[in-house]
Amino acid sequence: MEIVIANESHFKYAQIICDTIAESAKVRGTGIAKRTPEYIMKRLQNGNAIIALDGDKFAGFCYIEVWGNKDFVANSGLIVHPDYRNQGLATKIKKAVFDLSRKKFPDAKIFGITTGLAVMKMNYELGYRPVTFSELTNDPEFWKGCQTCKNFDILTRTEQKMCLCTGMLYDPSEKKIEPRKLNGKAFQRLKEMKENLFLKKKEK
């Protein structure tokens, strides 16, 4: 397995990356912002992506988005092809894109929003902490990207303050503490509380 910084030579994988992201969201029944092959190719072209390959076969992917005049960066679109899941590959890709973000944008705050407990765990172990949306970028282009998510109406109803996603942030200026064991049950309870609150409101 080869995990590398993507470039123009990987354009041929743009469509399968988009398809894999879309299919994963459908299977999990979760909200996810859709991306076009053109959007993915732009990230490949500027060296802001990590791709995992098994020979010539696509295995996984994640990319960097830059926001707020480089004050914030997001690691987005983390995906592993079904043939390569449950092998620890997502964790390796996540660590690689995190390291790339720190190298290219050393002063930027790294953030993400996700409904996935596995991604929350990976973020937590890298030094992220859960935060309110107000601590994330206020760049309207970032939030515009949520329009293709099936839960966008929740974000709209709460005036962009809350959604089913949990916001997580890594701030390089903060004093680091010793790694703690992730309380997965707490994240699960938070997710369930949001679903009960917002999805019931939507049904009314």
Side-chain angles (χ1 to χ4, degrees), residues 6 17 45 59 100 116 133 140 168 202:
I17 289 170
Q45 188 176 39
L100 179 62
F133 283 5
M168 300 191 74
K202 185 178 180 180

Side-chain angles (χ1 to χ4, degrees), residues 89-103:
L89 182 58
T91 300
K92 293 177 182 177
I93 295 172
K94 183 70 175 177
K95 179 64 165 58
V97 78
F98 177 79
D99 290 343
L100 179 62
S101 300
R102 295 285 293 120
K103 182 178 180 181

Side-chain angles (χ1 to χ4, degrees), residues 120 130 166 185-195:
M120 292 181 200
T166 294
K185 290 183 179 179
F187 278 115
Q188 180 64 43
R189 283 197 298 271
L190 174 62
K191 182 180 179 182
E192 290 172 354
M193 287 171 59
K194 287 182 176 181
E195 288 175 346

Side-chain angles (χ1 to χ4, degrees), residues 127-179:
Y128 290 67
R129 58 182 173 83
V131 296
T132 62
F133 283 5
S134 63
E135 293 185 59
L136 307 180
T137 180
N138 59 6
D139 191 321
E141 288 301 312
F142 171 78
W143 299 103
K144 189 183 293 183
C146 295
Q147 290 179 354
T148 56
C149 173
K150 70 175 186 178
N151 298 319
F152 183 67
D153 67 300
I154 299 174
L155 189 66
T156 303
R157 293 202 313 262
T158 62
E159 297 179 340
Q160 208 172 287
K161 294 176 182 176
M162 202 178 296
C163 196
L164 293 186
C165 280
T166 294
M168 300 191 74
L169 180 76
Y170 174 90
D171 187 344
S173 68
E174 291 181 350
K175 182 179 179 181
K176 300 304 170 216
I177 59 176
E178 289 299 316

Side-chain angles (χ1 to χ4, degrees), residues 10-46:
H10 301 113
F11 278 4
K12 61 184 178 180
Y13 298 105
Q15 185 62 59
I16 192 174
I17 289 170
C18 293
D19 293 345
T20 306
I21 291 174
E23 284 301 315
S24 177
K26 189 185 299 181
V27 169
R28 290 180 299 172
T30 57
I32 191 168
K34 295 178 182 177
R35 297 297 183 229
T36 64
E38 292 75 22
Y39 185 95
I40 295 299
M41 283 190 281
K42 197 167 184 179
R43 273 70 199 166
L44 300 174
Q45 188 176 39
N46 61 21

